[in-house]
Amino acid sequence: MSKHLAWLVAFEFGAIVPLILVVYWVQKFLSGFVWEKGNNAKFNYHPLFMLIGFVFIMGHAVITFRILPLSHRVKKYIHASLNLVALVFIIIGLVAVFENHNEQGIEPLWSVHSWIGIVTFAIFVIQALSGLSVFQDLVEGASNEVRGQYKPYHVAAGTLIVSLVTVTILTGITEKYLFIGSMKSFSPHAMVLNFLGLVVVFWAATVIFILHSGVEKRSPEDDILYDNLKDEDSCEQTS
């Protein structure tokens, strides 16, 4: 197994296992998933949909350019589409928690978890809109020079979002401990949440490593185009 494939398998482990753990946690220790007005189980959609959106879907979007041997244009569309789908799940997850808190009489946005979460969501939306504007040709006149200058900031913002997502999840787990006041040390309930936190940290490490450890995986067509662009640049510099 190549080093690249090994890290991809590690990423998939980190992206899938949290979903399994949160479903097991909700079904085993909480009251399942029920989207019903006044039912406290509506909250349980919040961690599930946020994990689907941020960890599973956005995680795949972040590493798209490093793992898919497709044309750059196709990968751009896949990257943008995955992020937009992630946004849908994230918004539903936010609706679930805000509706639940309103129905249960819980004051919203009081914790560090919610503050960091809102900041993460805001940066994610700004990142998505700026990426669509610059890289998806929504802004007329976005030249290759502008894209080249913006790309390092786009990558850095993606790394920041992955890091903030991890912090938000960990603070959310800690906040859940506060709500479940009867949880005992080293109980099965606590172990599931602890392992969830560890796997999310592992996920973040694999995403950041894949994102920063290599160059974009290109298709043969992209290699030809890249060589032609280098030749054009060389001609311009010598003329």
Side-chain angles (χ1 to χ4, degrees), residues 34-169:
V34 181
W35 196 291
E36 212 172 67
K37 186 175 182 179
N39 194 322
N40 198 39
K42 182 187 291 187
F43 169 85
N44 299 336
Y45 283 100
H46 173 65
L48 176 63
F49 278 66
M50 302 308 271
L51 283 172
I52 292 174
F54 274 125
V55 173
F56 187 78
I57 301 177
M58 188 201 74
H60 281 88
V62 170
I63 66 173
T64 296
F65 290 97
R66 295 292 186 266
I67 63 173
L68 296 180
L70 303 173
S71 71
H72 184 79
R73 179 175 295 274
V74 170
K75 286 185 289 189
K76 280 203 309 181
Y77 292 143
I78 293 174
H79 177 77
S81 299
L82 286 174
N83 277 316
L84 290 177
V85 173
L87 180 61
V88 173
F89 279 95
I90 292 164
I91 290 174
I92 297 173
L94 289 173
V95 170
V97 70
F98 276 105
E99 284 192 0
N100 172 260
H101 283 186
N102 181 60
E103 293 165 4
Q104 301 299 321
I106 301 173
E107 186 176 355
L109 301 177
W110 62 270
S111 67
V112 67
H113 164 71
S114 57
W115 284 27
I116 298 175
I118 290 299
V119 170
T120 304
F121 175 71
I123 296 175
F124 175 76
V125 172
I126 294 171
Q127 170 86 330
L129 292 176
S130 60
L132 285 172
S133 299
V134 175
F135 296 114
Q136 299 295 333
D137 304 319
L138 295 183
V139 175
E140 185 176 354
S143 64
N144 289 332
E145 181 181 1
V146 171
R147 293 175 182 178
Q149 291 174 345
Y150 175 70
K151 183 179 178 181
Y153 297 100
H154 190 71
V155 174
T159 305
L160 175 62
I161 292 171
V162 170
S163 303
L164 287 174
V165 166
T166 305
V167 173
T168 304
I169 293 172

